[in-house]
Amino acid sequence: MSRYFVPFQALRRQPTIVVDSTGLGAALTLAHWRGAATPVALRDDTSAGSALRALHAPATPGLQARAVTANHFDVDGFVGVWALLNPELALRHEPLLRLVATLGDFREIDWHHPLADHALQLVCWLNAEERARFYEPFGAPARRRREDEASAEKFAWFLPRFAELLENPKAARAAWEPAFAHIKQAVAAVQGPATTVRRYPAIGLTVVQTPEPVPYYALFGPSIGTDMVLSLYDGQRYEFEYKYTTWIDLESRPTLPRLPLGALADRLNELEKTARRWTHEGITDTGPLLRLSGRALSKPQRYADPDQRPIFASSIVPAELEQQVVAFFEAAYAGIEPKKYWSWAEVKAPGSGGMLRTEN
């Protein structure tokens, strides 16, 4: 049975499989979004992983639908859609596709994996071509249609071209090589003697102390298995971030819920002696940042790599900054047990900032 892609607006015109999205009337949902109606047996860390699981379970109700859609374009969603449209090739390359989806969405990968470089090449190609031919993530010009409409153009361009790159990435080397080389250089720096990594497993925090800001694909590599990253750069420049792993329903391991960052920002502002203020996004943002603020960052700037945005010097010394962050989360998470499948209602419940308790 052959499947085909349809724009998201066509969801209700025929039985349709919805990938990395949710939509009323879907024949089957394959998404890791919090609360998505993905069948229990098909749940996975990534939406592409759920699509690959579905290919191993052809009797899954709804999988017989021929139309496939998504309401946005990103690496994970694209890989999931492409896999459903190219099942034999997808299953042949399943380990690689899983790495691509994870690197694209969570920005983390084990660089010792034999397929890591191939995965990075594919992600760099997808990112480079998306920016060159369309627009950067979250950066649609105001005159453009909504992403659920405009993304159909991206799928139409990428879907027929991905198979060649999957089997022969050198075919488009000129497109992916600049970013690939830059990221590999950053990976080497993070793995080098000038970088120190400290992990606090009880609160799910990784601290990466490295001289200069680096791309996320390098920065988040040491953070696998944790959900928060504190970056300490030379010159007393810092950023804290909740990873995307706590925005979605992670299947592989339990997590702690996100907590509002206002109290931590207030404490850092008490200590801060510069004219700048510590600011942050809300917990429902895909990747809330806590940082010294100049002019507020746009969503595209926050989504972009740390080495592509200004990071300002603080008066707080690194050891004190780290101690304050660790102490805040140790106190806030005291008595909260990690679990899978936090609902947004639980995460946003009154008093959840250190008061939410669960026995699950």
Side-chain angles (χ1 to χ4, degrees):
M1 177 187 67
S2 61
R3 298 187 182 92
Y4 55 90
F5 177 81
V6 298
F8 191 74
Q9 299 79 8
L11 168 60
R12 298 186 182 183
R13 297 177 190 170
Q14 65 282 299
T16 304
I17 302 169
V18 173
V19 178
D20 203 30
S21 324
T22 59
L24 294 176
L28 174 64
T29 297
L30 299 171
H32 61 172
W33 289 19
R34 194 180 298 277
T38 305
V40 173
L42 303 184
R43 289 176 177 174
D44 202 280
D45 283 359
T46 64
S47 297
S50 288
L52 289 162
R53 287 187 184 228
L55 295 180
H56 288 287
T60 298
L63 192 58
Q64 296 72 33
R66 296 181 60 203
V68 182
T69 195
N71 71 355
H72 67 288
F73 181 94
D74 66 9
V75 173
D76 178 34
F78 171 77
V79 170
V81 168
W82 184 90
L84 292 172
L85 272 53
N86 301 270
E88 293 184 6
L89 196 55
L91 291 176
R92 190 188 315 161
H93 292 281
E94 180 172 358
L96 174 59
L97 292 175
R98 286 182 170 277
L99 288 178
V100 170
T102 300
L103 181 60
D105 244 20
F106 303 153
R107 296 162 160 181
E108 60 183 38
I109 196 169
D110 175 6
W111 292 109
H112 298 292
H113 194 289
L115 296 175
D117 280 0
H118 193 170
L120 178 60
Q121 290 162 5
L122 293 172
V123 170
C124 287
W125 176 75
L126 287 163
N127 290 341
E129 294 288 17
E130 181 185 13
R131 286 174 170 82
R133 299 180 182 277
F134 302 97
Y135 49 86
E136 63 185 345
F138 303 105
R143 66 181 183 276
R144 293 298 299 268
R145 294 162 290 168
R146 300 183 316 178
E147 176 63 18
D148 62 354
E149 299 175 352
S151 62
E153 300 172 4
K154 299 181 182 181
F155 280 99
W157 192 88
F158 281 104
L159 284 170
R161 292 170 170 84
F162 186 65
E164 181 182 13
L165 271 294
L166 187 64
E167 301 205 301
N168 179 26
K170 292 181 180 179
R173 185 165 189 160
W176 56 255
E177 188 167 42
F180 176 85
H182 177 58
I183 293 165
K184 289 292 289 185
Q185 183 178 26
V187 170
V190 170
Q191 294 177 343
T195 296
T196 302
V197 176
R198 292 178 290 276
R199 293 168 67 93
Y200 297 85
I203 56 174
L205 173 69
T206 296
V207 178
V208 180
Q209 187 163 7
T210 196
E212 295 295 330
V214 294
Y216 276 120
Y217 298 142
L219 179 66
F220 281 7
S223 75
I224 293 174
T226 63
D227 302 301
M228 302 182 294
V229 174
L230 174 62
S231 308
L232 308 178
Y233 304 115
D234 287 356
Q236 297 183 187
R237 295 169 295 160
Y238 316 119
E239 285 190 328
F240 166 89
E241 184 161 356
Y242 263 123
K243 292 168 58 181
Y244 188 58
T245 48
T246 49
W247 192 88
I248 52 91
D249 278 334
L250 201 66
E251 166 61 24
S252 62
R253 59 179 173 82
T255 63
L256 289 163
R258 287 181 173 184
L259 300 178
L261 298 173
L264 177 57
D266 289 345
R267 174 56 182 157
L268 296 180
N269 281 323
E270 290 175 359
L271 299 173
E272 186 61 52
K273 303 305 180 184
T274 71
R276 300 187 188 278
R277 307 299 291 167
W278 288 86
T279 62
H280 60 91
E281 286 73 49
I283 56 174
T284 58
D285 189 84
T286 52
L289 275 171
L290 174 67
R291 66 195 303 273
L292 266 185
S293 178
R295 189 167 62 182
L297 297 180
S298 66
K299 180 65 174 180
Q301 288 175 313
R302 300 199 308 272
Y303 186 83
D305 289 314
D307 61 352
Q308 296 177 22
R309 59 179 174 250
I311 301 178
F312 303 104
S314 169
S315 64
I316 307 171
V317 298
E320 173 71 3
L321 190 286
E322 181 175 340
Q323 188 277 326
Q324 290 292 335
V325 171
V326 171
F328 171 80
F329 285 106
E330 285 181 340
Y333 283 135
I336 302 178
E337 294 296 326
K339 73 168 187 174
K340 296 182 181 180
Y341 309 123
W342 293 93
S343 69
W344 280 119
E346 289 176 308
V347 174
K348 295 187 288 185
S352 62
M355 299 299 292
L356 181 63
R357 301 292 182 264
T358 176
E359 302 300 324
N360 295 334

